[in-house]
Amino acid sequence: QVQLVESGGGLVQPGGSLRLSCVASGSIDSINVMGWFRQAPGEQRELVARVTSRRNTIYADSVKGRFTASRDFAKNTVYLQMNDLKPEDTAVYYCNANNVATPAHNYPEVWGRGTLVTVSS
């Protein structure tokens, strides 16, 4: 009964910006961690950014200074503001949530279906 839905992906030129959104739907009481992973062609899925329930954030070294992750706890939403995009940022970006609590169940890990970000001139 919990679902993550991403939006905001698309085609952007190098140096441009995009903002991704991910909304967790369902009868949710709390979410411990929300964040973003990405997977480029021929590569493994990697962590991009993560925001804890304490509002602490971590970032992959490759995106530090360019990407910003934030959460709206009231709306069960996590955002990823991506600036100064580079071709190597091209990937499918997946929303992730850990320890999603509902009245009936606790979900240790939930994944969205992903949204494609293409950085190309």
Side-chain angles (χ1 to χ4, degrees):
Q1 62 180 351
V2 174
Q3 186 177 21
L4 303 181
V5 180
E6 303 101 333
S7 63
L11 175 65
V12 65
Q13 293 185 332
S17 298
L18 281 176
R19 183 195 296 170
L20 305 183
S21 300
C22 171
V23 179
S25 63
S27 184
I28 297 171
D29 292 325
S30 64
I31 303 173
N32 186 10
V33 179
M34 296 190 77
W36 296 89
F37 289 71
R38 69 185 181 186
Q39 187 168 21
E43 300 184 9
Q44 295 190 79
R45 188 172 300 186
E46 64 175 354
L47 174 68
V48 177
R50 174 174 287 161
V51 187
T52 73
S53 59
R54 295 285 190 177
R55 294 177 171 83
N56 295 319
T57 59
I58 60 172
Y59 298 93
D61 289 339
S62 59
V63 308
K64 285 181 179 177
R66 299 187 298 119
F67 291 10
T68 303
S70 60
R71 288 174 65 174
D72 186 328
F73 290 89
K75 297 194 293 187
N76 292 320
T77 300
V78 63
Y79 305 95
L80 185 67
Q81 178 66 47
M82 304 184 293
N83 299 324
D84 191 24
L85 283 161
K86 306 177 183 298
E88 51 263 40
D89 295 318
T90 296
V92 177
Y93 285 72
Y94 297 91
C95 182
N96 172 260
N98 293 328
N99 291 323
V100 182
T102 70
H105 200 269
N106 183 78
Y107 298 87
E109 188 169 54
V110 185
W111 290 92
R113 290 186 176 272
T115 184
L116 177 63
V117 173
T118 302
V119 185
S120 176
S121 60

